[in-house]
Amino acid sequence: MSQELNMPLIRLLVVKDWQLFQKQLAALVLAGIVALALLGLAKPWSFYLGSLLLIVVLVAAACFAIGTSLLTERKEQTLAFVMSLPVSPLDMTVSKLAGNLITFGVPFLVLLLGTLLVILGTPLPDGLLTMAILLFGHVLLAYCLSLTVAMQVESEGWNLFVMITSMVLINPFIMLLGQIDSIREPARGNDIVWSTPALAILAAQILLSLAALGYILWRHRRRAAFY
Amino acid sequence: MQSPTPGAPQGAPTDTRVHALDHLRALAMLMGVVFHAALAYSPLVQPIWPGADRQNWWGVDAAIWLPHLIRMPLFFLVAGFFTAWLLAQRGGAGLARQRVRRILLPFLLAWPLVHVATSFSTQWAMQYVDHPAPLLVLFRQLMAMPDPPSLPLSTGHLWFLYYLLLFSLLLWGARSLDWDRFLGKWLDAGPAVVSLSLPLLLWPGFMLTGAPHPAPEGLLPQFWAMLIYGPFFALGLGLHGRLHWLAPLQRCFWPGVLLCLGLYALFLLRLAEGATLTSTPWWWAAIEALIAGWGSLLALLAGLRWMQHANALMRYLAASSYWTYLWHLPILLTLQYLLMDHNWAWPLKFALCLSATLAICLLSYEWLVRRTALRRYVG
């Protein structure tokens, strides 16, 4: 079954999602700059506060992106209006997927780049890089899973449950990384070490994220109706 | 039409040009070249300036810290003005494109080149100069260690481009959240209130850093730098379209100049006891905030009073100042290294370094930028 995508309309829908998300994104960018400036104070308390704020910003970006473009729209019955446009269910899926990946992807990449610069460009041990990338990998996976559920399941309760649970799991995940010698020990030194467990975790995060996104496309390709 | 420096629009018709601001920005940037050339002969920065000469004189310190407190605040004020002009002319997307073309790309290209050139000449000086600066001696000792520590990455003297980008991002955020209305309310309070409150806004920034304040060269944004330069950028944004609003302040011009000189005398008295490194006592920071705030406003008033008209020389300097500022430091440091072992009088060395640096920058601008495609980016 092959369908032609209505690209101009998809682009408009993506722009619409971006504009709706702009205020929240602006607040997140400002919070991200404050977090980086806290790290720049180079004091132990400001490092912990800055790192925490960075994680909060990342998690908030993921939750707000999904919340604004999917959950709120559903609640406000916007879909009924979109159905009146010359748009197919697949167009809608692609626009939601692209819009979400852009609205989440921009702050995600900016913060990832900022974090890498912080680690490599300051006296912090370069070995932290592996652990930092694995943490970003966790947020990416949690986001992709939440997005999959949000696009598949209508229940707001289930969506919030998956979103909160997957993001909160970052805490046990940090503890888990701390238990693995080949990840914990190099984080204190200046050599960047990609041990087998670190590579396996990163590979699993990337593959599962891609699988989640692929699943959405596969499921929605088979749908002929919006409901 | 003038070719402006970073943050300034290109392609504006001449009649909409505010010549005074173009000239002020050019002077602020060229003052930076003079400042860096003079640092080699300042007793205060002997331990931390790689090009420091054996000869120094207290009069250099007495002369350079006043423009240091004013030139970059003034630059950000003018940059804010032109940012607002661009926003009004081309909208948010046009501003973003201009920032990428004239700030981000030059920064990303010049940064590694400046870093490599400076490292190369410094390594040469460490090896071959017989009378090295204290910092070069320290570098030599560090390099002689079995596992020499690497210096943290920094933006060097290009930090102002980094902060221009950061302020543009903050401006986008503030506009998205409708926070720009606070700027309008601040200016609506009148020039007297703004002049009195500006130093108050700067005060915490000066307390959070050493005195005289260093360049915020780190890769991470610094609170103190945002607190010092941010209010000037915001004031510049607000002044777009209402420069006439400053007219009542012209009455206070000469008393203001005298007041700033008096404050600067107090600043120098305290400086004679030594610089501070990580934070500054509240009263000294207050003096710095008053000088920076009022001094920058006075410089702006002076520009509006005496530099309103087009001038061929200033036009050329304004057009070339971005390029000159981008490349002056590696050239200047190389010349300072080359002259370190000579016993010539320091004023001669200073004049030679300064004039040769400006000559090399202006000639390269003439050959590489003025009539080439590079003009769109750094002309």
Side-chain angles (χ1 to χ4, degrees):
Chain A
M1 185 174 76
S2 72
Q3 290 181 43
E4 209 163 295
L5 293 173
N6 187 346
M7 289 312 286
L9 200 69
I10 289 175
R11 198 172 299 127
L12 280 177
L13 289 171
V14 170
V15 170
K16 183 259 304 171
D17 277 351
W18 171 265
Q19 285 175 348
L20 284 175
F21 188 55
Q22 191 169 325
K23 275 199 173 180
Q24 289 155 356
L25 186 64
L28 292 171
V29 165
L30 295 182
I33 290 173
V34 171
L36 290 174
L38 278 170
L39 292 174
L41 285 177
K43 303 249 169 51
W45 67 266
S46 67
F47 176 76
Y48 288 113
L49 199 58
S51 314
L52 187 67
L53 188 54
L54 265 185
I55 292 176
V56 169
V57 167
L58 210 54
V59 170
C63 294
F64 281 140
I66 295 171
T68 307
S69 72
L70 287 162
L71 305 185
T72 311
E73 280 202 355
R74 228 172 254 158
K75 214 193 253 176
E76 292 175 357
Q77 310 276 313
T78 319
L79 186 60
F81 168 72
V82 174
M83 284 167 71
S84 67
L85 301 172
V87 58
S88 69
L90 185 61
D91 290 338
M92 185 68 181
T93 304
V94 171
S95 79
K96 283 294 166 201
L97 210 52
N100 260 281
L101 289 178
I102 291 171
T103 48
F104 171 70
V106 171
F108 180 82
L109 287 176
V110 169
L111 291 177
L112 176 61
L113 195 70
T115 307
L116 298 187
L117 278 176
V118 168
I119 293 171
L120 297 176
T122 64
L124 282 173
D126 290 357
L128 264 179
L129 190 105
T130 312
M131 206 181 250
I133 290 180
L134 291 177
L135 286 180
F136 273 85
H138 175 85
V139 176
L140 178 70
L141 174 59
Y143 172 77
C144 289
L145 288 176
S146 303
L147 181 62
T148 307
V149 173
M151 291 192 69
Q152 201 58 40
V153 180
E154 305 251 327
S155 156
E156 192 179 353
W158 274 111
N159 273 300
L160 288 176
F161 174 74
V162 172
M163 219 186 283
I164 292 168
T165 310
S166 61
M167 294 297 172
V168 167
L169 278 175
I170 196 166
N171 226 356
F173 181 67
I174 293 171
M175 287 172 68
L176 173 76
L177 294 182
Q179 299 297 314
I180 303 171
D181 289 345
S182 59
I183 295 177
R184 184 187 64 237
E185 292 306 322
R188 294 175 182 153
N190 258 331
D191 294 325
I192 300 166
V193 179
W194 281 104
S195 60
T196 311
L199 281 175
I201 292 172
L202 185 65
Q205 288 169 335
I206 293 172
L207 286 175
L208 284 172
S209 301
L210 289 174
L213 298 179
Y215 173 76
I216 303 173
L217 271 178
W218 175 74
R219 283 286 299 188
H220 284 255
R221 226 180 139 79
R222 295 154 58 91
R223 277 168 75 162
F226 284 94
Y227 290 106
Chain B
M1 152 78 219
Q2 286 182 245
S3 298
T5 38
Q10 203 181 39
T14 313
D15 57 355
T16 63
R17 204 87 207 176
V18 184
H19 294 290
L21 295 189
D22 264 334
H23 299 163
L24 281 173
R25 188 181 36 210
L27 288 178
M29 299 203 92
L30 292 176
M31 187 53 76
V33 183
V34 178
F35 175 73
H36 289 142
L39 281 183
Y41 315 99
S42 145
L44 193 73
V45 297
Q46 277 286 305
I48 55 166
W49 184 250
D53 201 86
R54 280 172 292 163
Q55 306 174 54
N56 52 65
W57 184 50
W58 64 267
V60 174
D61 275 331
I64 61 175
W65 299 113
L66 181 63
H68 176 65
L69 279 165
I70 292 172
R71 71 181 179 90
M72 289 316 285
L74 179 66
F75 170 82
F76 277 101
L77 196 156
V78 177
F81 179 90
F82 282 120
T83 302
W85 185 91
L86 261 171
L87 205 54
Q89 296 287 318
R90 303 185 194 172
L95 175 66
R97 276 194 297 273
Q98 193 266 3
R99 299 279 116 158
V100 168
R101 180 166 54 84
R102 285 188 61 83
I103 301 179
L104 183 62
L105 284 177
F107 176 63
L108 291 178
L109 286 173
W111 185 26
L113 290 175
V114 166
H115 182 73
V116 167
T118 311
S119 303
F120 183 77
S121 62
T122 304
Q123 297 236 344
W124 177 88
M126 280 161 53
Q127 241 177 319
Y128 297 108
V129 171
D130 290 331
H131 301 95
L135 191 64
L136 289 180
V137 174
L138 180 69
F139 284 164
R140 269 185 191 168
Q141 288 164 353
L142 289 175
M143 291 301 131
M145 288 166 67
D147 188 15
S150 56
L151 294 172
L153 271 177
S154 87
T155 51
H157 73 291
L158 303 181
W159 65 267
F160 70 103
L161 295 176
Y162 176 89
Y163 277 85
L164 277 178
L165 288 171
L166 189 67
F167 289 149
S168 302
L169 198 61
L170 287 172
L171 171 64
W172 167 77
R175 288 183 72 227
S176 301
L177 295 167
D178 295 328
W179 287 356
D180 47 347
R181 66 180 189 277
F182 296 119
L183 178 61
K185 282 186 180 167
W186 184 41
L187 292 182
D188 286 345
V193 173
V194 169
S195 317
L196 291 174
S197 56
L198 182 63
L200 282 176
L201 292 173
L202 310 174
W203 194 6
F206 281 109
M207 281 171 69
L208 284 173
T209 189
H213 63 281
E217 295 175 337
L219 281 183
L220 293 172
Q222 300 287 312
F223 274 126
W224 69 262
M226 289 194 277
L227 289 171
I228 291 177
Y229 300 118
F232 286 105
F233 188 80
L235 180 59
L237 285 169
L239 282 179
H240 176 250
R242 54 164 128 182
L243 275 176
H244 59 278
W245 177 89
L246 290 165
L249 290 179
Q250 289 287 9
R251 283 192 313 243
C252 312
F253 182 77
W254 289 113
V257 169
L258 288 176
L259 189 58
C260 276
L261 288 176
L263 287 166
Y264 186 57
L266 288 177
F267 173 86
L268 288 178
L269 276 177
R270 173 59 185 83
L271 192 64
E273 294 172 26
T276 60
L277 287 177
T278 49
S279 62
T280 301
W282 65 268
W283 59 272
W284 197 15
I287 292 175
E288 286 187 290
L290 289 168
I291 297 173
W294 291 345
S296 306
L297 280 178
L298 289 169
L300 181 61
L301 293 176
L304 293 172
R305 194 181 263 216
W306 290 303
M307 288 191 267
Q308 276 287 30
H309 302 292
N311 172 301
L313 174 67
M314 287 306 295
R315 170 180 288 201
Y316 189 81
L317 288 178
S320 59
S321 62
Y322 187 12
W323 174 260
T324 300
Y325 199 81
L326 276 183
W327 301 110
H328 80 279
L329 200 61
I331 299 168
L332 185 67
L333 277 177
T334 306
L335 292 168
Q336 287 176 345
Y337 294 147
L338 286 172
L339 294 180
M340 268 178 183
D341 287 336
H342 292 278
N343 280 323
W344 303 339
W346 74 262
L348 178 65
K349 288 187 185 182
F350 168 71
L352 269 176
C353 281
L354 184 61
S355 50
T357 301
L358 287 177
I360 293 169
C361 290
L362 291 177
L363 284 174
S364 59
Y365 168 75
E366 191 64 33
W367 290 329
L368 299 174
V369 181
R370 197 174 170 205
R371 293 181 187 85
T372 69
L374 273 181
R375 187 179 173 205
R376 268 172 55 77
Y377 299 86
V378 288

